[in-house]
């Protein structure tokens, strides 16, 4: 189904992102993943068919790094699962501009 497909998945460190990474690999796909948490990286040491990068999707340099690596690996990127998300536990009427901007930059970032 996903044989020879190379997918970028954001937010692979936990929850749905981690499950998506494993599901794509189970269908013979390859994942370039992004996680913000350094402690999550150890989960991926023994998982084949993925390369996980430490970074934040708000920083476009991480995307450039992945695209450079995929080029070095001679793998064309076939898709994106924009799973990374940030949640606010602040009441709506208490959210300031800085928190709202961070929320939108993470949840609605543009890869290009």
């Amino acid at each position: 189904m996903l044989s020879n497909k190379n997918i970028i998945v954001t937010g692979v460190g936990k929850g749905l992102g981690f499950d998506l990474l494993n599901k794509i690999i189970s269908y013979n796909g390859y994942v370039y993943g992004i996680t913000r948490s350094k402690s999550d990286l150890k989960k991926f040491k023994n998982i084949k068919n993925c390369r996980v990068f430490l970074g934040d999707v708000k920083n476009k340099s991480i995307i450039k790094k992945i695209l450079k690596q995929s080029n070095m690996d001679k793998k064309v990127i076939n898709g994106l699962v924009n799973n990374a998300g940030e949640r606010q536990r602040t009441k709506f009427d208490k959210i300031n501009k800085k928190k709202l901007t961070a929320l939108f930059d993470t949840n609605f970032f543009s890869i290009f």
Side-chain angles (χ1 to χ4, degrees):
M1 194 184 279
L2 290 172
S3 291
N4 301 316
K5 301 296 181 192
N6 307 295
I7 313 294
I8 296 174
V9 181
T10 66
V12 296
K14 296 175 181 66
L16 183 60
F18 186 71
D19 291 343
L20 287 166
L21 174 137
N22 284 300
K23 185 59 84 174
I24 291 167
I25 290 170
S26 76
Y27 285 110
N28 298 315
Y30 190 91
V31 173
Y32 288 98
I34 304 171
T35 185
R36 289 188 302 190
S37 177
K38 191 174 185 177
S39 63
D40 289 337
L41 291 176
K42 55 188 155 191
K43 293 180 191 178
F44 304 101
K45 285 186 178 181
N46 296 320
I47 299 177
K48 295 180 181 181
N49 290 338
C50 76
R51 185 179 294 246
V52 177
F53 295 80
L54 182 63
D56 192 313
V57 296
K58 292 181 281 191
N59 184 343
K60 290 189 180 192
S61 68
I62 191 69
I63 303 302
K64 290 178 182 177
K65 194 175 188 179
I66 290 172
L67 295 175
K68 183 178 180 180
Q69 184 63 55
S70 72
N71 191 35
M72 289 180 359
D73 295 343
K74 297 186 183 339
K75 293 181 182 287
V76 174
I77 300 297
N78 303 106
L80 166 70
V81 178
N82 189 18
N83 171 69
E86 187 171 319
R87 64 181 173 184
Q88 288 292 333
R89 295 183 180 171
T90 306
K91 292 185 178 188
F92 185 75
D93 62 339
K94 304 283 187 210
I95 295 176
N96 61 33
K97 185 177 180 178
K98 184 178 178 181
K99 287 181 181 179
L100 192 59
T101 299
L103 182 70
F104 272 88
D105 286 349
T106 300
N107 295 343
F108 303 105
F109 89 99
S110 172
I111 193 166
F112 298 104

